[in-house]
Amino acid sequence: TVIRVAPAKHAADAPYAVGVVRLKEGASIFGRIFDVPFDKLAVGLPLRFRPILVDEQTSVGFAP
């Protein structure tokens, strides 16, 4: 999903992508997807975990 109208706290980051990523171990994790053009986002896109540091707080992120 591409977030184009973000909550006030993240408004400066919009637009950005978020999604559910299935890990090899079978679990699924929701997080931000970055370094992928929006028109290239697709189900099955191989991604790796990449932590995101925003205002000294770490969030879940994924990138190629």
Side-chain angles (χ1 to χ4, degrees):
T1 299
V2 176
I3 305 298
R4 297 187 188 282
V5 179
K9 185 176 180 181
H10 301 284
D13 296 334
Y16 58 90
V18 295
V20 177
V21 176
R22 180 162 298 174
L23 306 177
K24 285 190 261 184
E25 296 80 9
S28 296
I29 300 177
F30 181 80
R32 186 166 172 179
I33 301 171
F34 59 97
D35 290 343
V36 178
F38 297 147
D39 63 339
K40 300 296 182 189
L41 291 171
V43 173
L45 182 68
L47 299 169
R48 298 182 68 126
F49 173 74
R50 299 282 188 251
I52 301 171
L53 184 61
V54 178
D55 296 330
E56 299 182 18
Q57 183 174 1
T58 304
S59 298
V60 175
F62 297 94

